[in-house]
Amino acid sequence: MMLQPETEGLADYLVADDVIDHQHPELRRLAADLAGPEETFRYVRDQVSHSADVGTYSGAYRASEVLAARNAICHGKAHLLAALLRARGVPTGLCYQRLDDDAGGFVLHALNAVHLDGRWARLDARGNREGVDAQYDLERERLAWPVRPELGERDYPVVFAAPPAPLVEALGQAVAGRVGYGYYLPSDLPVSGD
């Protein structure tokens, strides 16, 4: 799949905002302590739990809140990875997949795209578990889940500089401790360019 940056300016993929708040002191401190993009990816993948895997829902989605909670769904983990990499000067965007949720519906999965070695590559720091083996690989995507078009799943080719406003609004409805994310998370993104 050919990735399509939402904007041509790489500086847009270094911006701190309310969600990817890499100006936060704890985020900056951690970013400085991690050796580089691969170690940063592994930190988020392995040291921040995915809420569904541990059955504890923090509701955190802002990068600084995810770091403090050490627990989030894929969206929060993607925001944390973007913040840590941006703090190190690595242009990092957000990508999405529409995946079958095995319950008759779909779930919107978040991951990242990084601009290294003159090109974009997607990385998925969702967190590994049985049947999920996402790896840091800039040459060959090794994401948590390959898309299965025959089930109605899809990759969105757009590399977003910031999470889309309707998604941020939905993430803001999460309730800490309430199990699941199906009650607030959209199952699709209406985007142009795909």
Side-chain angles (χ1 to χ4, degrees):
M1 176 184 65
M2 179 67 89
L3 294 175
Q4 301 169 5
E6 180 181 36
T7 173
E8 291 302 316
L10 286 179
D12 295 333
Y13 295 94
L14 293 169
V15 170
D17 60 28
D18 189 47
V19 175
I20 302 171
D21 57 345
H22 67 72
Q23 75 284 1
H24 190 280
E26 291 301 316
L27 285 167
R28 296 198 74 72
R29 192 169 307 132
L30 177 59
D33 287 346
L34 296 167
E38 186 169 358
E39 184 178 351
T40 303
F41 166 82
R42 288 188 179 163
Y43 177 88
V44 174
R45 184 193 65 190
D46 300 340
Q47 301 303 314
V48 177
S49 300
H50 188 285
S51 298
D53 293 349
V54 295
T56 303
Y57 287 79
S58 70
Y61 67 93
R62 286 182 180 85
S64 58
E65 294 171 350
V66 173
L67 181 60
R70 296 284 199 278
N71 171 306
I73 64 170
C74 58
H75 297 271
K77 292 184 70 158
H79 299 158
L80 177 58
L81 181 58
L84 291 170
L85 289 174
R86 287 181 183 191
R88 296 184 60 86
V90 177
T92 306
L94 301 163
C95 294
Y96 301 94
Q97 294 176 311
R98 180 180 186 242
L99 300 173
D100 184 339
D101 69 1
D102 297 324
F106 292 94
V107 64
L108 189 63
H109 176 60
L111 55 149
N112 297 93
V114 296
H115 194 273
L116 290 167
D117 301 327
R119 64 182 184 80
W120 288 101
R122 291 192 307 174
L123 298 172
D124 191 345
R126 180 238 178 257
N128 290 340
R129 60 175 170 76
E130 187 174 332
V132 178
D133 186 29
Q135 299 295 323
Y136 183 91
D137 193 333
L138 300 177
E139 301 302 318
R140 180 177 64 90
E141 282 190 346
R142 296 176 65 190
L143 308 178
W145 292 284
V147 166
R148 300 166 298 177
E150 68 277 9
L151 297 179
E153 296 181 343
R154 66 184 294 208
D155 279 309
Y156 296 92
V158 177
V159 179
F160 291 88
L167 181 57
V168 173
E169 184 177 318
L171 289 167
Q173 295 177 28
V175 176
R178 183 170 176 187
V179 175
Y181 41 80
Y183 69 95
Y184 67 89
L185 196 62
S187 61
D188 207 354
L189 274 183
V191 296
S192 60
D194 61 343

